[in-house]
């Protein structure tokens, strides 16, 4: 599927069907690889010229907002699919692929009655999309909060021995605790282990001989136990620190360890549940936002065509997906199908500095309404 489409409208002089046939013929003859589709816009309520002019000021800003929310949800889907390891699935609107929804667009009369003023339709679309964006922010914040808690726990369990949680490295039999004896945990630089083993018994009095046992080793440090009399523990800490050995505060508790384990399991499950529900919500919401965006594009092409070509509404709206190399040729074809006087006017205006950009918001002025839809 193409990722970039042009939505254009051409002024109709005689009949829309004859203009459509001429456009198809020209594209087929000069740019056969450019997909071309009718963009079916119903007869919307025009209102007054003043209301249209007022609306046109807001159309581009509102379009950028709706398009931005669409892309924000799509990026969130891509991230969630990546971290979940699930295969990327085609984005849809009620089961219809988004490119097909665009190229076979049908106005939803039940959702957006054509007799409603255009400003009401635009405000309704903007309000619905704003509500979805707010919902997205809340859901993503909730998911990220759990993920941050889990990451913090994982960092504690996988960091350096100098800072990491030691509870999963120490077993009950490694610790001696009595009225007079205590077991301390020493973090020894990896390359100072010989020094530790030869000196720990003499760092203070009343150290139990040959009581030091290595429990774990990482890239920087080794974790050793040492058992000694309770009353010299503070002296041992001071002497150990002076020799570059860190004594970690640790109190073994099977209840605390079990509680931490349960907390971790709950966070893992919460993260998985939130990720899954957020992904499903994003799939559904993307379809809803994309549908709103296409209805907005229909209003936009309608309003700008009236302002460009006048009343009564007489224009042909279509969707094209030209390749980069064929863009210039397609522009030339579209221009050739416009009224020659209109075309000359826009050329001249462009030559004197492009004072009037296309009403569609494109960088270049054209003698017809044109704007670009980027699906990604």
């Amino acid at each position: 599927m193409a990722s970039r489409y042009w939505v254009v409208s051409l002024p109709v002089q005689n009949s829309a069907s004859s203009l459509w046939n001429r456009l198809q013929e020209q594209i087929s003859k000069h740019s056969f690889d450019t997909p071309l589709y009718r963009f079916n816009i119903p007869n919307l309520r025009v209102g007054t010229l003043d209301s249209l002019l007022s609306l046109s000021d807001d159309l581009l800003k509102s379009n950028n907002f709706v398009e931005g929310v669409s892309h924000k949800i799509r990026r969130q889907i891509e991230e969630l699919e990546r971290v979940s390891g699930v295969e990327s699935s085609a984005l849809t609107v009620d089961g219809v692929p988004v490119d097909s929804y665009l190229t076979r667009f049908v106005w939803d009369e039940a959702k957006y009655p054509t007799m409603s003023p255009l400003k009401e339709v635009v405000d309704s679309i903007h309000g619905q999309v704003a509500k979805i964006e707010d919902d997205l922010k809340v859901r993503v914040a909730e998911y990220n909060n759990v993920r941050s808690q889990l990451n913090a726990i994982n960092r504690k369990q996988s960091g350096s021995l100098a800072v990491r949680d030691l509870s999963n490295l120490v077993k009950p039999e490694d610790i001696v605790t009595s009225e007079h004896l205590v077991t301390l945990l020493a973090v020894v630089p990896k390359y100072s282990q010989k020094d530790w083993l030869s000196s720990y018994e003499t760092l203070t009095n009343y150290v139990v001989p040959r009581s030091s046992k290595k429990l774990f080793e990482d890239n920087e440090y080794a974790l050793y136990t040492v058992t000694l009399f309770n009353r010299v523990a503070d002296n041992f800490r001071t002497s150990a620190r002076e020799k570059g050995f860190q004594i970690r505060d640790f109190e073994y508790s099977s209840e605390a360890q079990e509680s931490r384990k349960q907390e971790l399991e709950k966070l893992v499950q919460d993260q998985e549940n939130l990720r899954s529900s957020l992904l499903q919500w994003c799939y559904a919401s993307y379809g809803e936002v994309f549908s709103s965006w296409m209805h907005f594009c229909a209003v936009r092409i309608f309003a700008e065509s009236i302002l460009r070509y006048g009343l009564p509404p007489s224009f042909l709206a279509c969707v094209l997906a030209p390749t980069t190399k064929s863009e210039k040729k397609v522009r030339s074809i579209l221009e050739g199908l416009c009224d020659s006087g209109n075309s000359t006017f826009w050329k001249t205006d462009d030559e004197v500095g492009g004072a009037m950009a296309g009403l569609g918001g494109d960088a270049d002025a054209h003698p017809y309404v044109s704007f670009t839809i980027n699906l990604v």
Side-chain angles (χ1 to χ4, degrees), residues 1-2 30 75 87 147 225 241 270 283 288 339 375:
M1 90 177 194
H30 301 291
R75 286 193 297 270
E87 189 175 342
R147 194 168 64 161
T225 61
R241 186 167 59 246
D270 286 350
Y283 284 142
E288 195 173 333
D339 175 67
L375 297 188

Side-chain angles (χ1 to χ4, degrees), residues 68-80 286:
V69 174
S70 166
H71 293 328
K72 191 183 294 185
I73 296 175
R74 179 184 52 76
R75 286 193 297 270
Q76 187 66 56
I77 288 172
E78 289 172 353
E79 183 195 338
L80 291 169
Y286 182 84

Side-chain angles (χ1 to χ4, degrees), residues 113-186:
T114 51
M115 288 310 295
S116 297
L118 290 182
K119 176 141 180 48
E120 270 187 30
V121 175
V122 169
D123 289 347
S124 173
I125 292 172
H126 195 286
Q128 288 166 4
V129 174
K131 185 175 182 303
I132 289 173
E133 186 193 33
D134 289 342
D135 203 0
L136 174 67
K137 288 176 181 175
V138 171
R139 289 171 180 269
V140 169
E142 186 181 12
Y143 168 66
N144 285 339
N145 181 44
V146 171
R147 194 168 64 161
S148 296
Q149 290 180 54
L150 198 53
N151 287 340
I153 290 175
N154 287 333
R155 276 197 302 272
K156 282 184 179 179
Q157 292 188 337
S158 60
S160 158
L161 281 171
V163 294
R164 68 173 286 177
D165 178 22
L166 303 178
S167 58
N168 60 337
L169 303 178
V170 182
K171 299 181 178 63
E173 59 267 26
D174 296 326
I175 301 294
V176 175
T177 304
S178 69
E179 184 182 351
H180 299 293
L181 293 176
V182 65
T183 297
L184 302 180
L185 296 178

Side-chain angles (χ1 to χ4, degrees), residues 257-273:
Q257 195 163 354
E258 183 61 28
S259 174
R260 279 192 290 267
K261 183 183 175 185
Q262 289 177 0
E263 180 189 5
L264 179 60
E265 289 172 352
K266 182 179 182 301
L267 282 172
V268 168
Q269 190 59 51
D270 286 350
Q271 178 182 246
E272 191 55 42
N273 292 340

Side-chain angles (χ1 to χ4, degrees), residues 21-312:
N21 291 336
R22 285 167 59 204
L23 177 58
Q24 284 183 305
E25 181 186 330
Q26 290 290 314
I27 292 292
S28 176
K29 186 175 178 182
H30 301 291
S31 185
F32 64 89
D33 61 342
T34 298
L36 172 66
Y37 313 90
R38 285 287 288 266
F39 193 60
N40 296 305
I41 302 176
N43 289 320
L44 300 173
R45 185 172 171 182
V46 176
T48 65
L49 185 60
D50 283 348
S51 67
L52 274 182
L53 284 168
S54 174
L55 184 65
S56 71
D57 293 337
D58 301 326
L59 282 173
L60 184 57
K61 187 192 301 180
S62 293
N63 180 77
N64 289 341
F65 168 72
V66 176
E67 181 180 0
V69 174
S70 166
H71 293 328
K72 191 183 294 185
I73 296 175
R74 179 184 52 76
R75 286 193 297 270
Q76 187 66 56
I77 288 172
E78 289 172 353
E79 183 195 338
L80 291 169
E81 287 179 337
R82 180 180 55 78
V83 298
S84 302
V86 301
E87 189 175 342
S88 295
S89 54
L91 297 174
T92 64
V93 180
D94 294 330
V96 179
V98 290
D99 56 326
S100 297
Y101 185 87
L102 164 59
T103 56
R104 300 171 193 166
F105 175 74
V106 177
W107 184 271
D108 188 342
E109 174 69 24
K111 198 170 185 180
Y112 307 108
T114 51
M115 288 310 295
S116 297
L118 290 182
K119 176 141 180 48
E120 270 187 30
V121 175
V122 169
D123 289 347
S124 173
I125 292 172
H126 195 286
Q128 288 166 4
V129 174
K131 185 175 182 303
I132 289 173
E133 186 193 33
D134 289 342
D135 203 0
L136 174 67
K137 288 176 181 175
V138 171
R139 289 171 180 269
V140 169
E142 186 181 12
Y143 168 66
N144 285 339
N145 181 44
V146 171
R147 194 168 64 161
S148 296
Q149 290 180 54
L150 198 53
N151 287 340
I153 290 175
N154 287 333
R155 276 197 302 272
K156 282 184 179 179
Q157 292 188 337
S158 60
S160 158
L161 281 171
V163 294
R164 68 173 286 177
D165 178 22
L166 303 178
S167 58
N168 60 337
L169 303 178
V170 182
K171 299 181 178 63
E173 59 267 26
D174 296 326
I175 301 294
V176 175
T177 304
S178 69
E179 184 182 351
H180 299 293
L181 293 176
V182 65
T183 297
L184 302 180
L185 296 178
V187 175
V188 179
K190 192 172 182 179
Y191 300 108
S192 301
Q193 293 182 70
K194 283 185 179 179
D195 186 22
W196 164 260
L197 291 171
S198 65
S199 65
Y200 77 89
E201 295 179 6
T202 60
L203 290 177
T204 187
N205 297 326
Y206 306 111
V207 175
V208 177
R210 295 186 295 281
S211 64
S212 187
K213 181 174 73 170
K214 181 157 71 173
L215 303 183
F216 186 79
E217 185 176 312
D218 63 16
N219 292 332
E220 298 178 80
Y221 299 99
L223 181 66
Y224 282 87
T225 61
V226 59
T227 302
L228 41 89
F229 274 69
N230 220 331
R231 58 195 174 94
V232 296
D234 288 341
N235 290 341
F236 187 91
R237 285 190 179 88
T238 303
S239 299
R241 186 167 59 246
E242 289 172 355
K243 288 185 69 69
F245 308 133
Q246 179 188 352
I247 304 302
R248 290 285 308 271
D249 290 327
F250 181 81
E251 186 175 337
Y252 185 85
S253 166
S254 57
E255 293 82 5
Q257 195 163 354
E258 183 61 28
S259 174
R260 279 192 290 267
K261 183 183 175 185
Q262 289 177 0
E263 180 189 5
L264 179 60
E265 289 172 352
K266 182 179 182 301
L267 282 172
V268 168
Q269 190 59 51
D270 286 350
Q271 178 182 246
E272 191 55 42
N273 292 340
L274 286 169
R275 181 191 293 152
S276 177
S277 65
L278 178 57
L279 184 56
Q280 293 308 312
W281 180 89
C282 284
Y283 284 142
S285 297
Y286 182 84
E288 195 173 333
V289 171
F290 190 85
S291 171
S292 299
W293 184 19
M294 293 306 102
H295 281 80
F296 191 92
C297 288
V299 173
R300 186 179 172 194
I301 203 86
F302 179 83
E304 291 175 0
S305 296
I306 300 293
L307 290 172
R308 177 71 67 92
Y309 311 131
L311 290 168

